[in-house]
Every structure is written in structure tokens, then in C-alpha cells.
């Protein structure tokens, strides 16, 4: 890093220079989080169609459908960390992941990449961020363009962005394929010639080809057979070691998250309800929702049956309950829960939870 | 088709399995082979018309009124054997049909192709970018499709006057809407697939995503619709020419030939109308057979 020659006589100006440099450097440096989310929010609106507007003219009261898919999420991810993101279907995990990966734009709030506000990035810096954060998708059958050969699927982006040359492309792609433990000779084939697990490897190779630092895995193994799941999860962990990657690992499978994540974030209807180191969260869950989820972790053989049995329906995100979103289903709900949304509070070092139970005098 | 659940660990299928499959299933289907053969023969005949036609029907020096209305099989004093007879102006009918086939094919194919390109561009843009442009375009398409094509063409041709170029323009004005609608629908579906999100995530330029990712995946349904519309275009061209609004009298297409002979149909001189009619039916039949099979082969539900 910066090694500026300093002399004793030059101390003050040297310090000033370092302070100034520090101001700029503190953020992109390894010390800060790779990704930081502040109040990140995404609202989906379904505008009224012609029929609805006509009906409204005649006195009907049809409102625009508004879903706050992600609602004011704060989160920071340190370099090298694996953060697990869990929650029931529809709670906004994918929406959050897509915003982080730059596929969806936030409605409000900010994403900071290596300390810099993504919304302000332009040109080269913007591109660097876009490439540094990659995503692995859930469905290995729709995530690869069926009409492109593997070498084009993997090689297109690095070629477009000048990470390799046309002459070296073949070798580059083959290297990426060996990284994900695929036979490099497959590079001229089409996606339909591969199995689900292999396709997922190709998707990983495609992401690795642009040298990412941060990878969002959105249910990346959920569509695979259990035996294949383990292989892909191991691949993720190998790559993390080799390439010092950071992951946001989205899964509704708490077993997988327990196995993989350093830290776990639990979401409910677009909000973070609890966040802690993995061991802490599994040993001492604080939020009643987390407790309910943990009770539901199925045995290996029934892994696919997740979350059944939390009492009550998931409320519609179109029309969330008042106060604590979980109160209609919470066994500990109190009058205050219906009125006031509980903020996230630190309940132990590194452990935050959003529940009014923590406000009661012990 | 292939590898449905992704159960095999390695799936050593040959590289171009898909096209081999298309060809093989084509070869296995007798109707498709017949239709394709028919089309190839007609295309060759149209292409080679100047070589194989006994006479150049556009060259007035070769045509004599004295040869008018000869029966099929008669030979003129000039020595030409009129296999399909001659028409009221003394043109050799086989020659006129070969040249007419040419015009019919060129007019309807170019109109379909231009409409396809326009529809593809507009449909892709509407499907990918959505918004007001999409809404506007789709209203336009709805209106356009709800008016009978023949009516639109008639109005346009009456306004613009006759001529091969104007005929093509009128037909493009009808058919672009069908292409735009189908492409837009497919693009809407494809755009939501994860491979497009992956392309966005890889910061690929937009035009590249639209052209290299979306476009190729929209082509199969476009090809199917293309053959259907091509058959319709052949018919429409014939109808317009029959009505005298299409090609000029000196360069008759199949439709105009049919019209020319129509008056004699009831007086026993059937051939003047009948043989061009047979050629028209064969052309449409061939296109439809191939199109039908293409639809089966390219059915997206059987794909991948
Ligand atoms: N493009 C969209 N348009 C409108 N609503 C959307 C869109 N994408 C997501 N939503 C809504 O936002 C909410 C969160 O969806 P999201 O896909 O992020 O949930 P999820 O936690 O990933 O669920 P799952 O576990 O089923 O994948 C849902 O109510 C969903 O209906
Ligand atoms: S705030 Fe109230 S309703 Fe919400 S989880 Fe805590 S106890 Fe249950
Ligand atoms: Mg999801």
C-alpha cells in the first residue's frame, strides 16, 4: 500500500497526508465490509389496468397493488464471510439478492460496495462493481442460454470486458471449467447436453470468469438432487478458499445454512427479524419466528419439507399486519406487538433481534 | 426431448443433436418430405424459368395473337409445343405459369421477410423495454389485426396505385403486426428467464443482450408464424392481382393469370385459369405442409 517517505521534520504535513489518504482509503480497504446495505427497500407496484381505472370512474375503489418486497434492510458483509439469508417463501430474499447483484434497482436505501455508494458509481467504477458482484441462480435449466455453446456462455463476458483476448479465450474458458471441476473438453457443447448439477457448475464458471469478489447464491442448490447438492456446496467452499470469495447465501434450507454460513440473517415479510453468528443463532435463537423455524428443521430424509407447521398462514405481503409483522402467528404476542413494530436491537454481542420480548424487564 | 431431468452425470450427446433431430424427424414425416420436395421443385422451376420455359412471356415479339387459346398439347405453327395450352393473348401457359410463379414467390416472400424483420425489431423492443412504447405498439397491433388484411391492402393500393413495389409495401403493412405480436410475447417470457438476468449481472451491453440472447430464443416461433404468413401472403397476392390491384398486366403473377382465364372457365377453355390455379394451390400446400411440421418440431414445450 502507500509507503510515502517520511521525515521527522515533515511530520505534520505527513500526518495530514495520511489522514487525507486514509479518508479515501479506509473504505475500499479490506478493513471495511465488502457489501453494506442501508435501509435497502424495494417496492413492486402493479399499476391499475384500463378495466380497473374504468371501474374506479364508476365508483369502484380498486387500489394499485403495492408490495414492499424488501423493507429497510440494513446488513453488512465482511470480506471472506459467508452470510446465510433465510426466511419463508416470498419474504424478499431473492429481491434482496437481485438488488445486491445489480439486477434490480432499489426503490430506496443504499448499497455500498467496498465503502462506496453504488448509486454514485459511474463508468469504469460502475462496471467494476457490476462484475465484482455475481449471482448464481436457482434454476439450472433457465439460467443458461439454451442456444449458446458453453464456451460462449462462459467466455462472452470476459471477452466483452477485455479480461481475456480472442486468442486466449479458449484457454481462459477451459481454465474456468476446470475450476468448477468440469471436463474442459465440454466447451463446445450446448446446455441441454448436461445434467442439472453440471449446468449449475457452468453457471458458476460463468460467474467466476469475470473475477468476482462477492457472490450471491440464490437457492443455488435447491433444484438439485440431495447427493448433487453436497457436491455443489463443497465446490462453493473450495472456491471460497481458493479465490477468497465472499458469499451471500440465500436458502430456505436452514440445514444447508447451518453447514455453510458464518452468520445468519432471518427475514420475515421483507424485514430482517434476527441476525447472529451461526452457532449463536442455532444455539440461542432470540426471535419467536426464528425459534419456530428452527423447530421446523427437518431431518435429512425429509429435507424438502421445510417450514410446515408454523401456525397460521404467511400474511399477504400486499397487506401486511400492523406492528410486528409476526404477531398474528406469534405464540408470545402481546398488545404492544399489534401497535408498534419492534426495531432490531442488540441482545448479545453480534446478535440482533427485533422483538418486544427483549424490552421486558428481565 | 433430450435429458429431461438431468439425471445422467455426463450426457455425451453429439454437438449438433438438435439440428440432426430436426432433420431426422423431418425425414421421418412423409408429409413434411413431400411438402419440402414440392417447394423445392416449385422454387427451382421459378428460379430456372428463363432456362426451362419454352417462351419468354414478357417478350411481345415471341407472342402472337394467332396462337391464342390453343388447347393443352397443341403445337403452334412457330413450332412451340404448348403443353398446357395458350391464353387469350397467345402466351404459352406453361411459360406464363413459370414466370408467374416467380413473381408470386418473390412478392410474397419479400413482403413476408420485410414484415418479419420489422416485426422482430419492434416486437423485441416492446418486449424488452416495455413501458409506453410497448403499450402504444400493442394497441396499434390490435387495431391493425382486427381489420381484414385484404381491406387494408385494397385501401393502400387504391391510394398508392398499382405496382410490384407498392404491392409489397401493402402486404408488409398487414403482416408486420402479426410478427410484432408474437415476438413481443416470446420476448416477454424470455426476458424474465434467469439467463437474461445473468447477462445483466455480467454487465453485457443492452444491444448484446437483446440480439445475442433474446433474439435467438425468439426465432423458432417466428419461423413457424413466418411459414403460416407466407402461405397467406401468396394467397393475398393472388387475390389482389386477381382484383387487378397487384402486379402489372404485362408481368402476370399466378393470381392475375387465374383472373385472365376466369372468363373462359365456363366456355370450356378451362386450362387458362385451371393450370395457374393448380400451381397456386401446390405452392400454398407445400408451404403449409412444411410450416405445419416446423411447428411440431420447434414446439417450445418439446424443446430443451
Ligand atoms: N418482479 C416482481 N413484480 C412484482 N412483485 C414481485 C416481483 N418479484 C417479487 N415480487 C414480490 O415480492 C415478494 C418477495 O419476492 P421474492 O422472490 O424476493 O421472495 P423470496 O423470499 O425469494 O421467495 P422464494 O423463497 O419463494 O424464492 C413476493 O411477494 C413477490 O410476489
Ligand atoms: S414482537 Fe411480539 S409478536 Fe413480534 S415476535 Fe416478538 S413477541 Fe412475537
Ligand atoms: Mg427466491
Amino acid at each position: 500500500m502507500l509507503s510515502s517517505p517520511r521525515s521527522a521534520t515533515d511530520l505534520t504535513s505527513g500526518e495530514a497526508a495520511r489522514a487525507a489518504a486514509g479518508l479515501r482509503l479506509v473504505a475500499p480497504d479490506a478493513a471495511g465490509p465488502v457489501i453494506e446495505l442501508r435501509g435497502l427497500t424495494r417496492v413492486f407496484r402493479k399499476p391499475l389496468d384500463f378495466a380497473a381505472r374504468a371501474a374506479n370512474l364508476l365508483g369502484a375503489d380498486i387500489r394499485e397493488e403495492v408490495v414492499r418486497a424488501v423493507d429497510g434492510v440494513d446488513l453488512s458483509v465482511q470480506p471472506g464471510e459467508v452470510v446465510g439469508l433465510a426466511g419463508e417463501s416470498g419474504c424478499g430474499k431473492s429481491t434482496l439478492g437481485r438488488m445486491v447483484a445489480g439486477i434490480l434497482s432499489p426503490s430506496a436505501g443504499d448499497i455500498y460496495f467496498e465503502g462506496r455508494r453504488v448509486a454514485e458509481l459511474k463508468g469504469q467504477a460502475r462496471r467494476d462493481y457490476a462484475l465484482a458482484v455475481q449471482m448464481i441462480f436457482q434454476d439450472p435449466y433457465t439460467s443458461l442460454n439454451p442456444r449458446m455453446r458453453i464456451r460462449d456462455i462462459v467466455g462472452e463476458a470476459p471477452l466483452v470486458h477485455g479480461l481475456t483476448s480472442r486468442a486466449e479465450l479458449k484457454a481462459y474458458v477451459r481454465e474456468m471449467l476446470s475450476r468448477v471441476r468440469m471436463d474442459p473438453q465440454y466447451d463446445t457443447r450446448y446446455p441441454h447436453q448436461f445434467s442439472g448439477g453440471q449446468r449449475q457448475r457452468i453457471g458458476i464458471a460463468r460467474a467466476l470468469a469475470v473475477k468476482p469478489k462477492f457472490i450471491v447464491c440464490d437457492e443455488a442448490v435447491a433444484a438439485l438432487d440431495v447427493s448433487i447438492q453436497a457436491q455443489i456446496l463443497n465446490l462453493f467452499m473450495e472456491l471460497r478458499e481458493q479465490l477468497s470469495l465472499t458469499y451471500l447465501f440465500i436458502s430456505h434450507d436452514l440445514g444447508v445454512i447451518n453447514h455453510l454460513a458464518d452468520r445468519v440473517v432471518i427475514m420475515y415479510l421483507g424485514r430482517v427479524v434476527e441476525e447472529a453468528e451461526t452457532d449463536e443463532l442455532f444455539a440461542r435463537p432470540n426471535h419467536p419466528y426464528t425459534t419456530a423455524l428452527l423447530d421446523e428443521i427437518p431431518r435429512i430424509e425429509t429435507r424438502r419439507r421445510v417450514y410446515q407447521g408454523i401456525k397460521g398462514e404467511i400474511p399477504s405481503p400486499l397487506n401486511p399486519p400492523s406492528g410486528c409483522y409476526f404477531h398474528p402467528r406469534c405464540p408470545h404476542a402481546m398488545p404492544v406487538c399489534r401497535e408498534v413494530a419492534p426495531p432490531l436491537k442488540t441482545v448479545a454481542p453480534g446478535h440482533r433481534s427485533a422483538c418486544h420480548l427483549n424490552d421486558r424487564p428481565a | 426431448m433430450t435429458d429431461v431431468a438431468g439425471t445422467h452425470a455426463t450426457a455425451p450427446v453429439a454437438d449438433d443433436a438438435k439440428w440432426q433431430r430436426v432433420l431426422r424427424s423431418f425425414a421421418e414425416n412423409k408429409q413434411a418430405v413431400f411438402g419440402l420436395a414440392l417447394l423445392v421443385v416449385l422454387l427451382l422451376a421459378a428460379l430456372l424459368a428463363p432456362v426451362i420455359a419454352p417462351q419468354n412471356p414478357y417478350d411481345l415479339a415471341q407472342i402472337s395473337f394467332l396462337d391464342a387459346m390453343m388447347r393443352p398439347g397443341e403445337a403452334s405453327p412457330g413450332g412451340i409445343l404448348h403443353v398446357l395450352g395458350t391464353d387469350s393473348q397467345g402466351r404459352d401457359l406453361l411459360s406464363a405459369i413459370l414466370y408467374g410463379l416467380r413473381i408470386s414467390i418473390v412478392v410474397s416472400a419479400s413482403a413476408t421477410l420485410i414484415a418479419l424483420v420489422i416485426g422482430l425489431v419492434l416486437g423485441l423492443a416492446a418486449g424488452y423495454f416495455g413501458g409506453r412504447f410497448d403499450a402504444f405498439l400493442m394497441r396499434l397491433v390490435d387495431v391493425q389485426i382486427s381489420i381484414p388484411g385484404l381491406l387494408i391492402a385494397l385501401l393502400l393500393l387504391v391510394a398508392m396505385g398499382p405496382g410490384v413495389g407498392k404491392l409489397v409495401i401493402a402486404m408488409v403493412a398487414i403482416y408486420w403486426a402479426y410478427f410484432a405480436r408474437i415476438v413481443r410475447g416470446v420476448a416477454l417470457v424470455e426476458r424474465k428467464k434467469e439467463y437474461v438476468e445473468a447477462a445483466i449481472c455480467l454487465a453485457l451491453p443492452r444491444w448484446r443482450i437483446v440480439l445475442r440472447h433474446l433474439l435467438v430464443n425468439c426465432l423458432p416461433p417466428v419461423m413457424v408464424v413466418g411459414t403460416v404468413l407466407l402461405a397467406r401472403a401468396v394467397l393475398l397476392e393472388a387475390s389482389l392481382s386477381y382484383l387487378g390491384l397487384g402486379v402489372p398486366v404485362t408481368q402476370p403473377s399466378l393470381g392475375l393469370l387465374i383472373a385472365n382465364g376466369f372468363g373462359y372457365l365456363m366456355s370450356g377453355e378451362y386450362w387458362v385459369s385451371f393450370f395457374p390455379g393448380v400451381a397456386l394451390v401446390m405452392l400454398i400446400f407445400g408451404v403449409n405442409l412444411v410450416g405445419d411440421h416446423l411447428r411440431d418440431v420447434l414446439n417450445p414445450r418439446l424443446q430443451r
Side-chain angles (χ1 to χ4, degrees):
Chain A
M1 275 239 319
L2 285 187
S3 59
S4 49
R6 266 179 289 141
S7 66
T9 53
D10 204 22
L11 192 72
T12 27
S13 64
E15 248 171 20
R18 257 176 295 129
L23 267 183
R24 274 189 295 113
L25 283 179
V26 112
D29 205 40
V34 203
I35 286 285
E36 190 175 357
L37 313 180
R38 292 195 200 149
L40 198 64
T41 300
R42 173 72 201 207
V43 182
F44 290 111
R45 270 172 219 286
K46 191 170 156 240
L48 293 182
D49 58 11
F50 181 74
R53 269 182 290 160
N56 276 352
L57 278 182
L58 299 175
D61 186 23
I62 304 173
R63 301 259 176 82
E64 201 180 57
E65 290 187 357
V66 177
V67 178
R68 298 182 80 81
V70 173
D71 190 0
V73 168
D74 296 319
L75 177 67
S76 65
V77 184
Q78 303 300 324
E81 212 181 7
V82 178
V83 171
L85 181 60
E88 279 162 306
S89 182
C91 70
K93 307 183 294 293
S94 297
T95 306
L96 182 77
R98 283 183 162 82
M99 284 192 284
V100 173
I103 296 171
L104 266 180
S105 53
S107 310
D110 275 305
I111 302 173
Y112 290 78
F113 171 65
E114 294 186 328
R116 285 183 297 179
R117 217 177 126 220
V118 166
E120 286 166 0
L121 297 181
K122 294 240 155 48
Q124 182 70 22
R126 175 92 206 177
R127 204 203 70 172
D128 286 347
Y129 153 72
L131 296 186
V133 182
Q134 286 300 308
M135 184 146 174
I136 309 293
F137 297 90
Q138 169 166 7
D139 186 348
Y141 288 86
T142 59
S143 60
L144 304 179
N145 186 336
R147 285 173 206 281
M148 281 169 84
R149 289 174 194 271
I150 303 313
R151 61 162 180 240
D152 296 321
I153 290 176
V154 176
E156 184 180 19
L159 193 62
V160 166
H161 295 299
L163 298 175
T164 182
S165 64
R166 205 164 272 285
E168 279 154 29
L169 184 63
K170 191 182 171 97
Y172 191 90
V173 168
R174 291 187 159 207
E175 146 130 40
M176 292 306 143
L177 291 179
S178 8
R179 277 210 182 140
V180 297
R181 309 245 171 284
M182 289 235 340
D183 189 337
Q185 290 180 3
Y186 289 164
D187 63 348
T188 55
R189 297 208 174 151
Y190 286 93
H192 74 266
Q193 296 171 279
F194 295 96
S195 65
Q198 284 176 312
R199 285 170 180 234
Q200 209 55 324
R201 286 176 196 268
I202 295 165
I204 299 169
R206 172 178 62 191
L208 293 183
V210 293
K211 306 202 156 57
K213 295 179 179 171
F214 188 98
I215 295 192
V216 179
C217 301
D218 188 3
E219 308 274 10
V221 297
L224 306 176
D225 288 348
V226 175
S227 59
I228 313 281
Q229 283 191 3
Q231 292 174 16
I232 301 291
L233 292 176
N234 288 337
L235 177 64
F236 279 133
M237 290 306 101
E238 267 173 48
L239 293 170
R240 174 199 188 187
E241 293 288 310
Q242 289 166 9
L243 307 169
S244 43
L245 295 172
T246 307
Y247 289 109
L248 177 64
F249 201 93
I250 300 173
S251 177
H252 59 261
D253 187 336
L254 282 169
V256 167
I257 289 212
N258 189 9
H259 181 69
L260 225 69
D262 301 320
R263 203 149 51 87
V264 184
V265 174
I266 307 282
M267 275 179 81
Y268 189 73
L269 283 186
R271 293 178 181 170
V272 172
V273 294
E274 185 163 10
E275 178 191 337
E277 306 273 309
T278 308
D279 293 342
E280 163 85 3
L281 185 112
F282 280 83
R284 282 173 295 279
N286 177 281
H287 199 280
Y289 178 60
T290 312
T291 318
L293 284 186
L294 292 182
D295 287 344
E296 291 305 313
I297 295 189
R299 309 288 154 256
I300 286 293
E301 62 272 15
T302 57
R303 186 177 264 182
R304 278 166 203 281
R305 277 185 33 231
V306 206
Y307 299 154
Q308 288 171 5
I310 298 185
K311 149 174 100 72
E313 290 289 306
I314 309 175
S316 161
L318 280 174
N319 189 11
S322 59
C324 172
Y325 284 174
F326 191 52
H327 84 251
R329 301 165 79 190
C330 180
H332 310 289
M334 306 167 286
V336 62
C337 302
R338 223 161 295 145
E339 311 288 328
V340 187
L344 268 176
K345 278 190 184 159
T346 302
V347 294
H351 190 159
R352 298 192 300 159
S353 174
C355 174
H356 289 305
L357 289 175
N358 297 316
D359 299 337
R360 291 190 308 190
Chain B
M1 45 160 276
T2 52
D3 184 357
V4 176
T7 37
H8 6 152
T10 47
V13 193
D15 256 3
D16 289 307
K18 182 171 262 155
W19 287 108
Q20 283 177 7
R21 187 180 54 84
V22 169
L23 289 180
R24 197 175 330 112
S25 87
F26 235 108
E28 280 164 5
N29 186 314
K30 287 205 183 64
Q31 292 182 2
V33 171
F34 177 70
L36 198 63
L38 194 61
L39 269 190
V40 168
V41 168
L42 290 174
L43 280 177
L44 279 179
L47 197 71
L48 298 176
V51 183
I52 56 176
Q55 190 185 63
N56 181 352
Y58 301 159
D59 183 0
L60 296 177
Q62 293 184 28
I63 301 170
S64 159
F65 272 109
L66 298 175
D67 298 337
M69 299 315 261
M70 298 180 86
R71 305 198 135 261
E74 273 186 80
S76 62
I80 299 178
L81 176 67
H82 300 294
V83 180
L84 301 181
T86 60
D87 67 7
S88 58
Q89 290 155 60
R91 274 188 296 221
D92 175 52
L93 205 55
L94 176 63
S95 308
I97 289 174
L98 289 173
Y99 277 81
L101 195 61
R102 254 183 152 194
I103 298 203
S104 289
I105 291 176
V106 167
V107 168
S108 47
S110 54
T112 312
L113 206 65
I114 296 172
L116 185 151
V117 171
I118 294 175
L120 200 60
V121 170
L122 294 178
L124 270 180
Y128 186 77
F129 298 107
R132 277 166 192 277
F133 174 67
D134 181 32
F136 171 75
L137 191 76
M138 284 307 113
R139 285 302 82 74
L140 195 63
V141 164
D142 286 343
V143 170
Q144 158 97 67
I145 287 179
S146 64
I147 306 174
L150 190 59
L151 188 63
I152 299 178
L154 280 175
L155 292 175
L156 282 175
L157 285 173
V158 165
M160 294 187 300
V164 174
K166 286 165 185 157
L167 182 61
V168 171
I169 293 176
M171 291 168 72
V172 168
I174 298 168
Y175 293 127
W176 74 271
Y178 294 87
F179 284 112
R181 179 188 267 185
I182 182 94
V183 170
R184 183 252 186 189
V186 181
L188 267 185
V189 173
E190 290 293 323
R191 184 187 81 141
K192 297 213 176 80
K193 291 197 177 161
E194 290 176 342
Y195 73 84
V196 175
E197 294 197 328
I200 295 171
C201 196
L202 291 165
L204 296 176
R206 273 193 175 184
W207 63 265
R208 206 181 171 96
I209 297 176
V210 173
L211 295 185
R212 287 220 35 192
H213 293 259
L214 271 185
L215 176 67
V216 284
N217 285 292
C218 294
L219 282 182
V222 169
M223 283 161 66
V224 172
V225 171
T227 55
V228 173
L229 291 184
L230 179 61
R232 280 210 227 163
V234 171
L235 199 59
L236 180 67
E237 187 278 327
S239 314
L240 291 170
S241 294
Y242 183 92
L243 294 173
L245 281 163
V247 296
V249 232
T250 48
Q251 299 190 4
S253 66
L254 293 179
L256 190 51
L257 287 175
I258 296 173
N260 288 342
F262 200 68
Y264 307 102
L265 205 54
M266 295 303 143
S267 56
E269 284 128 345
Y270 67 92
W271 62 89
V272 190
S273 227
F274 179 71
F275 290 120
V278 170
L280 182 68
V281 168
M282 288 202 306
L283 182 59
I284 293 175
F285 192 52
V287 173
N288 274 331
L289 281 183
V290 171
D292 271 359
H293 195 61
L294 210 57
R295 174 165 44 216
D296 295 345
V297 172
L298 295 177
N299 185 340
R301 267 173 303 171
L302 303 174
Q303 249 180 29
R304 240 151 267 170

